Amino acid sequence: MSTVVDWLKDLLTVPWATRPFARVMRGRATILVLHRLADPARGIPGVDPRDLRRALEFLRSERYPVVSLERVFRGLAGEAPPLDRAVAFTLDDGTLDQATVAAPLFAEFDCPATLFVMTGYLDGKLWCWWHRVEHVFQTTRRREISVWLGGVLLVYRLDDRSGRARLARDFMERCKHVPEPEKLRAIERLAAAAEVELPERPPARYAPMSWDDVRAWEARGITFGAHTVTHPVLSRTDDAQSAQEITESWARLRAEARCPVPIFCYPNGHVGADFGPRETATLRALGFRGAVTNSPSGHASAADFQSSPDAPFAVPRIDFGQDHRSCIRSVSGVWRARQLLGEHGDASRALAAAAQGEPRRASARPSSRLDGV
């Protein structure tokens, strides 16, 4: 069965096989999001640059309108002609690999991209909280860690490295469901329980790009947007921090970048869970034209964008996926066809099987006691 599924995955990335799906993408744009790009020399896992190259080659050969995020927003708002099958690339956080690995590829293909950066991270004042969690799990010598988080005692048994990565992801996901101060205290408790001293500055594999990198890549067509100062889940902050995270990140970006885009990116970014009317009001008061989410439920359309005053502040993005095949299925309409067909009929089941690994949905939260695998 796995052989058949793999065959379907490959088939649905061949140009002649994807073209019939183009009509389901009329009036719709795909906004893709990436995070880390693999850089083995620095010990960085992530999307293989060869897969990004294959995706860009496909888009060029099939003449997709690959445009800037701002151009997508103008089309959605009716300020510019709509672009059927338009594709825009975004990246989150501002890690060094985005400047050294991803940006050169986008420049090579003359492909616009928007990088949403954490300004406190680029300022050298902090390192990403989830990187701190990962660092603790990967470097501790203890075989078991017990830590309180949100009133629950979590007990993690650590074995091999792959199991540690899974346990770290579990702790990270749980951190997103507690108030911001509790999250930060829990990470400190985790490090203490694991007997790991967290350095003040991030190790090389977690290093940020610099503001000089921002300006250098702006000169070559990359644009930059705000992604808060410290990357909290905004719905887990109080009113003062929510406003400060948005306002100060935008002010710092405007001070350092030549032409930042007035489009915001919510940390985590799940609709109905991670932000709300409070954040939308702050963005509107600052003159933002909209914001992007991490909702894999659909592509962007003018009808949705213009459906309500708040709709421009919840524009969906789709994860690039595990490799170029996932990306191609998203932009070509294969993924949308699966959504439209639902789970009925042989064709739908074939598409569903072929779309395994498509934009990920949140999984059920695991139990409080986990063993490494």
Side-chain angles (χ1 to χ4, degrees):
M1 181 62 184
S2 60
T3 302
V4 174
V5 171
D6 288 339
W7 178 81
L8 282 169
K9 286 182 179 181
D10 289 331
L11 174 64
L12 291 175
T13 60
V14 176
W16 61 261
T18 60
R19 289 170 193 156
F21 296 95
R23 61 181 181 178
V24 304
M25 293 300 292
R26 288 174 184 166
R28 296 185 177 274
T30 307
I31 302 173
L32 294 165
V33 56
L34 298 96
H35 288 86
R36 307 219 69 180
L37 275 292
D39 187 350
R42 293 188 175 96
I44 299 171
V47 172
D48 190 323
R50 293 172 294 184
D51 282 307
L52 178 56
R53 175 181 293 279
R54 293 185 188 109
L56 292 171
E57 289 171 344
F58 173 87
L59 294 171
R60 173 183 283 179
S61 67
E62 291 299 292
R63 301 182 181 274
Y64 279 77
V66 183
V67 299
S68 69
L69 185 64
E70 283 193 289
R71 175 62 181 86
V72 169
F73 268 65
R74 289 199 303 272
L76 295 174
E79 299 169 3
L83 291 170
D84 291 344
R85 303 191 308 155
V87 178
F89 282 89
T90 65
L91 301 94
D92 290 359
D93 305 328
T95 53
L96 181 59
D97 51 283
Q98 294 174 352
T100 59
V101 181
L105 271 172
F106 288 122
E108 178 185 337
F109 283 82
D110 195 24
C111 174
T114 297
L115 274 65
F116 290 104
V117 298
M118 297 166 51
T119 56
Y121 182 41
L122 269 64
D123 281 336
K125 296 179 179 179
L126 54 93
W127 46 312
C128 303
W129 65 263
W130 59 96
H131 290 166
R132 299 203 303 271
V133 171
E134 182 179 280
H135 179 73
V136 168
F137 275 93
Q138 293 298 332
T139 60
T140 183
R141 294 183 178 181
R142 291 188 60 87
R143 307 297 293 179
E144 182 173 294
I145 305 173
S146 299
V147 59
W148 286 93
L149 174 62
V152 176
L153 179 62
L154 305 174
V155 181
Y156 295 107
R157 290 176 178 168
L158 290 79
D159 292 319
D160 60 26
R161 292 293 176 183
S162 61
R164 292 182 179 212
R166 181 176 66 87
L167 300 181
R169 287 193 299 271
D170 172 73
F171 188 82
M172 294 173 201
E173 286 302 313
R174 293 172 182 273
C175 281
K176 298 173 185 178
H177 297 276
V178 299
E180 180 67 9
E182 164 62 7
K183 178 190 82 178
L184 299 178
R185 288 192 297 266
I187 294 173
E188 292 178 358
R189 291 194 295 267
L190 175 74
E195 299 176 352
V196 171
E197 183 175 352
L198 289 168
E200 183 177 347
R201 300 184 66 83
R205 65 180 299 195
Y206 301 124
M209 66 177 66
S210 69
W211 288 115
D212 285 340
D213 291 327
V214 169
R215 288 182 285 272
W217 283 112
E218 270 192 313
R220 298 186 64 180
I222 303 295
T223 55
F224 290 83
H227 193 37
T228 72
V229 179
T230 68
H231 204 285
V233 175
L234 290 170
S235 63
R236 306 298 176 185
T237 64
D238 60 25
D239 292 347
Q241 184 178 1
S242 173
Q244 178 264 337
E245 290 281 349
I246 297 171
T247 302
E248 289 193 15
S249 65
W250 181 230
R252 282 295 293 134
L253 187 61
R254 293 179 69 186
E256 294 287 353
R258 296 185 179 91
C259 191
V261 297
I263 299 169
F264 187 74
C265 177
Y266 305 105
N268 213 42
H270 293 114
V271 177
D274 300 331
F275 63 92
R278 179 183 64 178
E279 286 72 35
T280 299
T282 301
L283 293 169
R284 187 177 282 111
L286 290 171
F288 281 82
R289 69 177 303 146
V292 292
T293 71
N294 287 337
S295 171
S297 59
H299 299 76
S301 71
D304 291 338
F305 190 91
Q306 300 174 31
S307 63
S308 75
D310 288 342
F313 294 90
V315 177
R317 296 184 298 172
I318 294 177
D319 192 90
F320 179 89
Q322 296 177 346
D323 56 33
H324 68 289
R325 300 179 302 180
S326 298
C327 171
I328 291 171
R329 289 193 292 271
S330 292
V331 302
S332 65
V334 170
W335 173 242
R336 176 160 170 75
R338 177 197 169 185
Q339 291 177 308
L340 294 173
L341 287 169
E343 299 299 330
H344 304 291
D346 292 341
S348 175
R349 283 193 288 273
L351 286 170
Q356 293 296 321
E358 287 294 343
R360 297 180 293 276
R361 299 182 184 275
S363 60
R365 295 176 65 185
S367 63
S368 60
R369 188 175 189 93
L370 291 173
D371 297 337
V373 295

